[in-house]
Amino acid sequence: MHSSPGVVTVAALSGLAAAGATALLAASARRRVGPHRQTHVLLAVAAGIALLSLLVGVTAVLTAGDHWAHRQGQRTGWATLVSVGGALSGLVLGAALLRLPGATATRAATARLLLDGVIVASALWFVGWVVFSEPTRLLGALTPVACVPVVLATLSAALTAGLTLIMVLRAAPPRGRFVLLSAGMTGVTSGGLCLSAGLCQAGPVMALTGAAVLAAGLLATTAAAHRVDPPGQIDVDLIRSDGEYAFVPMFAMAASAMYHLSQGGGFDAFGIVAGSVEGFALVARQYLALNDVRGYAGRLAAREAHFRELAHTDPLTGLANRRGLLRALHRCAEAGVPCVLLGLDLDGFKNVNDMRGHDVGDAVLAEVGQRLRNNLRPGDLAARLGGDEFAVLMHGASDAGPVAERLLGVLGCPYEEADGPVFLSVSIGVAGNHGETDVELLLRNADLALRYAKQRGKNRIERYDAKYDELLRRRTLLEHELRGAIERDELRLAFQPVASLPSVRPVGAEALLRWHHPKLGNVRPDEFIPLAEECGMISKLGAWVLHQACYQLSRWLADGHDVWVSVNVSPRELHAPEYVVQVADALRAHHVPPQRLVLEVTEHAVATDLDELIRRLAALRLTGVRIALDDFGTGYSSLGQLRRLPIDILKIDHSLVAEHEPVRPVGRDGPAFAPMVDIVMRLGHQFGLEVIAEGVTNPTELAAVVAAGCRFGQGALFGWGVPAEHLEAMLEAATSPGARPTSAPPVPVPRPSSEGSSQVRPDVVGASRGEMPTPVNQNVGSVDSSREMRQA
């Protein structure tokens, strides 16, 4: 064997480089752990097979030496071994590629990658066949035209090149390491092809060139795979355009075929097979793509249905939301099926969020949803409309009463939470559509019935009634008209006299607000005053009443009448920081002595915030006005609260005055008296308060309250609310020469400022004997009497 030093050097360097690269890949595979270890093991195995092929090839080149032309049979055998080795290494390298992240997400994704690689490989092989065969013969005499082993090597090289090209295009950026890895793999199979072709027919130069290219490919593969992280992520998203993967190879095959025919060439079995493989691969690829698109469309449809259902579902309770309820209502309307709608609202739920936190509130709402689901008939729908408002849609025209009663009880049971049970009640409004198709009308009717259930005491069931529409229209009209009633001069004050007992002489009056509308007529105070409270008009009305009462009082005082006027104050006005200033401004504007004005506050106001109420009343008393506690005896005030309140007068509620059987004194003679009035009288005197008996309607009640020691009375027996001029006539008559007493009528005197229970009764300046009045002061809506303000 006489090989030149250059041949030996190239062969030796190629072998050493390939051996070093293989050793490095093997060491890297041993170090790897985790899901990507298999990729590095496959790379090391492929490198080992490629190294064996290279050693076989260079050994054959060195052995042939000067007898190259005479050892064709041996060289063909060596070429076959190299081709088989190259094909095996190419297959293992392809397997390693398919183990990269994202390449094997699904079997369909792997199949698509393989088919894309086959399509490109078939095009490359066909184009190569055209340019290297007759009549082109790009390599001229070096073209291996009769060496069958080269065919296997060309297939391996084309398949590796096609697969690596597809995966480079699919790889997510950055692609640097992936391009290096692909180039290395392609170099391994291409080098094997050149080595095989050189051994078979082309000569030692091509064989050694192939050996060098193979070694370089192994080094590039080693350089790309030596880092811990994998070379890159393969993108198999169906949305990306895949047209170029089919169009470009087909265009290349068509162009090369036309060129081949134009040059007088023909197609043998190899060309026909390559074209057939390309066609079948394209059909299979499109079938997979179509199947994937169908699956993708099916998943999209399922997700759309899922999200559509989510759009109609409340996420907290799992019930239907407002959209879901509307959808069910429209379906009932379209089908003409009668249904009943129940509107539910939790009473006092806001306090749960405020006092226990929103987490507890959410847990309670979730439990409400569970209880609704467990207590409905099959086919009925429960929905959460928002906040603490729910609804139940019952299909059919059956009576909803039993279901509503059951829900009233079930939702009213305690809700057990970690920090203690939560107690709630529920209000329910019921409305039916009776086969009608107006969904919005049904919702409105159920909401209207629910509103009346809330207004009439809560924790109850109300069925929709047509009269609710009339009430709602009237309420809306009243609210609209009330906003301009002052400007249109439709309001006036009536004055109900407060009489001194037993002489029944008028010594004071309570200002009562009246509204006469030009079209609606006289509107009852118990109708428009609660409406004013709700719509925020009460402060404006109260300020108007305060100034009108002070104006009239100043006129009476200027005319010489010794009288006081009481004005009701609403809780909203009382808790307004500016109200004290308003009272002081009104007194100053009309030159009214402060002690002549009495502000009445209802006993109901005491039940809200006692400490704040005491501060507000104390600030008002500093202006010199008197404070009266109205409706005393209705159950809100305790004795401890009464002792703390800075008030001057108690007004006994009519329910205590109108006792059916007055009690006669035991062991002594005397008229029958009202025992509850007697008790309140004694209590008031112990606290240093004067007492006014309200609701005195007949002589029997008058005699009873006088016998109990009450010095002031108010009620129908002394007169209802009358215009100012009528009350002035009553004052004139009471102070006429024939009726004028020897001393002036009584005027309330302030209670001592101490909040303790004063044992000393206040003196009354100018009071006639037996008619000693005490300071009068009441705090209720400054618009009308407390009884007329009381809501149903």
Side-chain angles (χ1 to χ4, degrees):
M1 177 177 68
H2 300 284
S3 298
S4 65
V7 171
V8 174
T9 301
V10 171
L13 290 177
S14 299
L16 290 175
T22 303
L24 289 176
L25 286 174
S28 176
R30 285 196 301 269
R31 293 196 309 268
R32 302 291 171 175
V33 292
H36 306 302
R37 184 174 187 273
Q38 190 173 3
T39 300
H40 293 274
V41 170
L42 290 174
L43 289 176
V45 171
I49 297 174
L51 175 62
L52 291 177
S53 300
L54 185 147
L55 293 177
V56 169
V58 296
T59 300
V61 170
L62 294 176
T63 302
D66 296 335
H67 306 286
W68 184 270
H70 303 287
R71 296 188 177 183
Q72 180 65 42
Q74 292 181 357
R75 287 189 289 108
T76 302
W78 292 116
T80 302
L81 290 177
V82 173
S83 296
V84 172
L88 289 176
S89 64
L91 291 176
V92 177
L93 288 174
L97 277 177
L98 294 177
R99 298 299 302 175
L100 290 175
T104 55
T106 62
R107 291 183 179 179
T110 304
R112 284 197 303 273
L113 288 175
L114 283 174
L115 287 173
D116 288 339
V118 169
I119 292 171
V120 175
S122 299
L124 289 174
W125 196 95
F126 186 85
V127 172
W129 174 81
V130 168
V131 298
F132 290 116
S133 63
E134 292 288 353
T136 305
R137 293 180 63 86
L138 182 65
L139 296 180
L142 296 179
T143 303
V145 295
C147 191
V148 176
V150 176
V151 176
L152 182 61
T154 57
L155 291 175
S156 174
L159 184 60
T160 303
L163 186 60
T164 54
L165 177 61
I166 288 296
M167 297 191 75
V168 165
L169 296 175
R170 291 281 196 177
R175 297 188 178 96
R177 289 181 59 209
F178 204 93
V179 170
L180 181 61
L181 178 64
S182 300
M185 292 180 174
T186 304
V188 170
T189 55
S190 298
L193 171 61
C194 292
L195 182 58
S196 175
L199 287 173
C200 189
Q201 196 168 355
V205 175
M206 179 173 284
L208 291 178
T209 303
V213 171
L214 190 153
L218 288 177
L219 290 174
T221 302
T222 303
H226 80 283
R227 293 171 61 178
V228 176
D229 55 319
Q233 173 79 26
I234 307 302
D235 186 6
V236 291
D237 189 4
L238 294 177
I239 303 301
R240 294 187 59 183
S241 174
D242 292 339
E244 64 271 18
Y245 301 152
F247 176 77
V248 174
M250 285 298 297
F251 179 80
M253 291 184 68
S256 60
M258 292 176 64
Y259 170 77
H260 185 66
L261 292 174
S262 66
Q263 297 296 319
F267 293 102
D268 56 12
F270 292 113
I272 295 173
V273 168
S276 300
V277 169
E278 179 78 5
F280 282 116
L282 281 173
V283 171
R285 178 64 172 85
Q286 292 306 108
Y287 173 79
L288 284 179
L290 179 61
N291 191 51
D292 287 337
V293 169
R294 286 175 178 171
Y296 188 70
R299 290 193 298 272
L300 281 181
R303 290 178 183 177
E304 181 183 2
H306 174 67
F307 287 122
R308 186 183 296 112
E309 192 62 29
L310 286 180
H312 293 85
T313 303
D314 176 61
L316 178 61
T317 62
L319 303 178
N321 57 14
R322 184 177 291 274
R323 290 192 187 93
L325 178 65
L326 287 173
R327 180 177 62 178
L329 286 172
H330 283 294
R331 288 175 179 173
C332 288
E334 292 171 0
V337 177
C339 61
V340 179
L341 184 63
L342 280 64
L344 301 92
D345 190 88
L346 301 178
D347 303 325
F349 180 76
K350 184 177 183 299
N351 294 331
V352 177
N353 281 335
D354 293 343
M355 304 302 296
R356 304 283 289 272
H358 287 275
D359 290 341
V360 174
D362 289 347
V364 169
L365 291 176
E367 177 64 21
V368 169
Q370 185 62 39
R371 294 184 186 184
L372 285 176
R373 277 190 295 269
N374 294 340
N375 289 275
L376 293 182
R377 306 175 308 174
D380 292 345
L381 176 70
R384 180 187 176 213
L385 305 183
D388 59 345
E389 187 177 355
F390 294 81
V392 172
L393 177 62
M394 299 176 57
H395 298 282
S398 59
D399 184 18
V403 176
E405 291 287 350
R406 183 168 69 251
L407 294 179
L408 194 69
V410 168
L411 298 181
C413 294
Y415 297 82
E416 298 297 334
E417 298 298 331
D419 55 348
V422 174
F423 298 93
L424 292 173
S425 62
V426 63
S427 299
I428 302 177
V430 182
N433 68 346
H434 305 295
E436 299 174 359
T437 59
D438 194 340
V439 171
E440 296 299 330
L441 180 62
L442 178 61
L443 286 169
R444 173 183 173 277
N445 291 345
D447 185 66
L448 197 57
L450 175 60
R451 184 188 305 180
Y452 276 92
K454 301 283 283 187
Q455 290 181 353
R456 295 182 179 182
K458 303 179 181 179
N459 192 28
R460 59 183 292 141
I461 302 169
E462 283 289 337
R463 292 180 175 275
Y464 170 76
D465 193 301
K467 67 179 182 181
Y468 293 167
D469 288 318
E470 293 296 331
L471 294 174
L472 179 61
R473 280 193 290 269
R474 179 172 176 83
R475 173 188 174 85
T476 304
L477 178 61
L478 287 178
E479 180 179 348
H480 180 269
E481 295 297 318
L482 184 60
R483 296 187 181 277
I486 295 177
E487 290 75 10
R488 296 190 301 268
D489 197 24
E490 296 172 359
L491 302 179
R492 62 184 178 85
L493 288 185
F495 296 89
Q496 185 177 23
V498 178
S500 175
L501 303 181
S503 65
V504 299
R505 289 184 300 104
V507 293
E510 180 179 355
L512 308 176
L513 182 61
R514 297 292 182 261
W515 180 20
H516 179 78
H517 191 273
K519 294 182 179 179
L520 301 175
N522 291 323
V523 184
R524 298 191 315 274
D526 61 354
E527 187 177 13
F528 73 83
I529 289 176
L531 182 60
E533 288 274 6
E534 294 181 19
C535 70
M537 281 286 296
I538 194 67
S539 298
K540 182 178 179 180
L541 295 181
W544 185 86
V545 169
L546 178 63
H547 279 275
Q548 291 297 316
C550 288
Y551 168 75
Q552 188 58 54
L553 178 58
S554 67
R555 291 190 58 183
W556 287 335
L557 294 176
D559 292 340
H561 298 296
D562 197 0
V563 67
W564 78 85
V565 171
S566 64
V567 173
N568 296 284
V569 183
S570 72
R572 185 184 298 248
E573 288 179 283
L574 186 62
H575 287 86
E578 65 274 8
Y579 186 69
V580 176
V581 178
Q582 291 179 3
V583 171
D585 290 343
L587 294 173
R588 184 166 51 253
H590 299 287
H591 306 288
V592 172
Q595 67 274 13
R596 298 286 181 171
L597 179 64
V598 178
L599 300 180
E600 298 189 9
V601 56
T602 56
E603 196 178 9
H604 174 71
V606 179
T608 54
D609 187 345
L610 182 62
D611 293 334
E612 178 65 17
L613 178 66
I614 290 174
R615 287 192 292 270
R616 297 295 182 184
L617 295 180
L620 285 171
R621 293 187 81 221
L622 290 178
T623 65
V625 300
R626 305 300 94 212
I627 308 294
L629 182 62
D630 196 12
D631 293 341
F632 182 75
T634 54
Y636 290 103
S637 301
S638 66
L639 293 180
Q641 291 173 339
L642 188 63
R643 184 178 182 275
R644 294 179 59 196
L645 287 173
I647 59 176
D648 305 287
I649 298 172
L650 289 180
K651 298 188 75 173
I652 306 176
D653 189 73
H654 172 69
S655 61
L656 301 183
V657 173
E659 293 181 307
H660 298 293
E661 295 184 3
V663 177
R664 293 190 175 276
V666 178
R668 61 184 177 87
D669 296 331
F673 64 95
M676 294 303 298
V677 176
D678 182 72
I679 292 173
V680 175
M681 282 295 305
R682 295 175 183 273
L683 180 65
H685 291 164
Q686 287 295 322
F687 287 149
L689 306 175
E690 189 55 84
V691 181
I692 299 177
E694 290 188 290
V696 180
T697 59
N698 55 61
T700 302
E701 294 176 354
L702 173 61
V705 298
V706 170
C710 188
R711 296 175 177 81
F712 295 96
Q714 185 178 351
L717 186 61
F718 314 117
W720 289 111
V722 296
E725 57 269 20
H726 291 184
L727 183 64
E728 186 173 358
M730 295 171 64
L731 295 173
E732 290 287 352
T735 57
S736 62
R740 185 183 300 273
T742 57
S743 59
V747 177
V749 175
R751 174 190 178 185
S753 59
S754 172
E755 292 182 8
S757 59
S758 174
Q759 300 286 336
V760 181
R761 295 174 52 192
D763 296 331
V764 180
V765 179
S768 61
R769 185 175 181 180
E771 295 178 357
M772 180 90 70
T774 49
V776 180
N777 191 335
Q778 181 185 16
N779 198 356
V780 160
S782 67
V783 281
D784 208 332
S785 70
S786 59
R787 186 172 299 103
E788 292 168 323
M789 289 182 60
R790 193 178 304 123
Q791 301 182 22

